[in-house]
Amino acid sequence: MILGVNIDHVATLRQARLGIEPDPVMGATLAILGGADGITLHLREDRRHVNDRDLDMLRAFVPVELNMEMAATDEMVRIACRKLPDLVTLVPEKRQELTTEGGLDVRKNMKSVKKAVRTLHDKGIPVSLFINPEAADIEASKESGADMVEIHTGCYANEKGRKREKELVRVAGAVDKAVELGLLANAGHGLNYTNVAEIAMLNGVRGLYIGHSIIARAVLVGLERAVREMKELILRGGS
Ligand code: PXP
C-alpha cells in the first residue's frame, strides 16, 4: 500500500505571510526522505496555497508519484496536459471551502468528467476520481473511463464508536465494489495517527492520501528542535 503525502498545507503556511517559507518543494523532499511514495498537490482555481511555480518545480524533481488534484475544468486539464503529472485526481472544488468537502458527484458531472478523462488519457495520464463511498458513484466512475477512485474517508474520520464502525463498513464496501468493477481503489481525507490503522487493514486498497495530520504532527514534533536551533544562534551572537 502506498502513502501519498499532500503538501498543500506547507504552501498554506507560506501563504500566511505571502513569503517564500516554508517551501512546499522542500517539504516534498523531506516527505520523500521519510518514505512518501507519492506527493499530492491541489492546484486550485484561485491558487490560494499551491501555485504554478510549485507545480513546475515539483514536476521537475519529484521522483515518486506526483498526484495533481484538480477540478475538471478546461484550464486545469490544459495545465495537467502540459505538466504531465503521474496521476490526476479529479475533485469537486468550491471557492469558500476550507478543504475538499465531499466527493465528486460523477453522475451529475458525467459530461465534463468524461471529457477530462479522455483528454488526460490522450496524454497518457491516469485519472482517479475522489468520490463518496457510494455504489452509484463507483459505477459512474467506471462509466466515466477513470482508472481509479479515491474513497472519501472524511465521514469515517469524523465519527466515533458504532457510527465509525458503520462508516468503516461503507468504505470497505466501496473498496470491494471498485475492485470488482476493475478500478484501483485508494482512500483519503481526515486520516490521522489514531484512525489510519483500520483503513490500512482493508483488503484491496492501493494507496492512502494524507495531508493535514502529517503536517500538523511535523509542526509539533519539529518545534523543540526549531526553538533550540534559534536559541543557539542567539546565544552565539549575543554577549
Ligand atoms: N484526498 C483528497 C482528494 C483531498 O482533497 C485531501 C485534502 O486536500 C486529502 C486526500 C487529504 O486530506 P487530509 O488533509 O485531511 O489528510
Side-chain angles (χ1 to χ4, degrees):
M1 187 177 295
I2 68 165
L3 168 63
V5 176
N6 183 316
I7 47 82
D8 295 350
H9 308 279
V10 179
T12 299
L13 198 51
R14 175 188 63 191
Q15 295 314 103
R17 288 284 175 98
L18 299 176
I20 58 169
E21 64 178 10
D23 190 332
V25 179
M26 279 202 197
T29 311
L30 294 172
I32 293 164
L33 286 174
D37 305 292
I39 297 296
T40 297
L41 72 163
H42 184 170
L43 190 68
R44 284 179 172 268
E45 185 197 6
D46 61 7
R47 310 295 197 271
R48 78 159 88 125
H49 38 54
V50 167
N51 59 34
D52 298 76
R53 165 266 184 201
D54 299 332
L55 173 59
D56 279 347
M57 294 194 71
L58 288 166
R59 176 58 299 177
F61 101 91
V62 166
V64 293
E65 178 190 270
L66 184 68
N67 174 26
M68 181 177 167
E69 267 183 41
M70 54 180 239
T73 61
D74 289 346
E75 184 207 2
M76 287 300 151
V77 170
R78 256 195 316 275
I79 294 173
C81 286
R82 274 206 314 273
K83 303 299 173 194
L84 302 177
D86 302 300
L87 176 66
V88 159
T89 300
L90 297 178
V91 298
E93 193 173 297
K94 290 194 208 122
R95 277 216 162 211
Q96 302 307 326
E97 67 188 359
L98 291 177
T99 178
T100 316
E101 281 169 357
L104 189 63
D105 186 338
V106 186
R107 183 70 58 203
K108 194 168 144 207
N109 296 287
M110 185 61 86
K111 208 168 148 210
S112 57
V113 171
K114 265 190 174 170
K115 186 175 160 213
V117 169
R118 220 178 306 120
T119 311
L120 293 163
H121 277 175
D122 283 348
K123 289 285 179 183
I125 306 168
V127 182
S128 179
L129 305 183
F130 183 54
I131 56 167
N132 293 324
E134 299 287 346
D137 282 315
I138 294 158
E139 283 157 7
S141 300
K142 178 70 183 172
E143 191 185 321
S144 76
D147 307 276
M148 21 182 141
V149 290
E150 181 182 331
I151 307 296
H152 196 322
T153 48
C155 290
Y156 159 78
N158 288 335
E159 290 295 357
K160 287 182 185 167
R162 294 297 282 274
K163 285 188 176 165
R164 173 176 287 188
E165 282 169 30
K166 270 186 157 175
E167 289 298 332
L168 182 63
V169 171
R170 275 182 76 209
V171 173
V175 170
D176 287 346
K177 176 90 185 163
V179 171
E180 183 192 313
L181 293 183
L183 293 162
L184 292 171
N186 301 304
H189 213 286
L191 297 178
N192 62 30
Y193 294 83
T194 60
N195 65 25
V196 74
E198 284 158 298
I199 296 289
M201 276 191 289
L202 296 178
N203 283 327
V205 179
R206 168 188 171 270
L208 300 180
Y209 290 86
I210 306 179
H212 185 81
S213 64
I214 293 176
I215 305 304
R217 185 162 174 81
V219 170
L220 291 185
V221 300
L223 192 55
E224 189 179 335
R225 176 174 161 188
V227 171
R228 194 174 303 115
E229 287 176 3
M230 182 60 80
K231 188 82 186 276
E232 277 168 17
L233 286 175
I234 291 168
L235 291 178
R236 224 184 294 152
S239 51

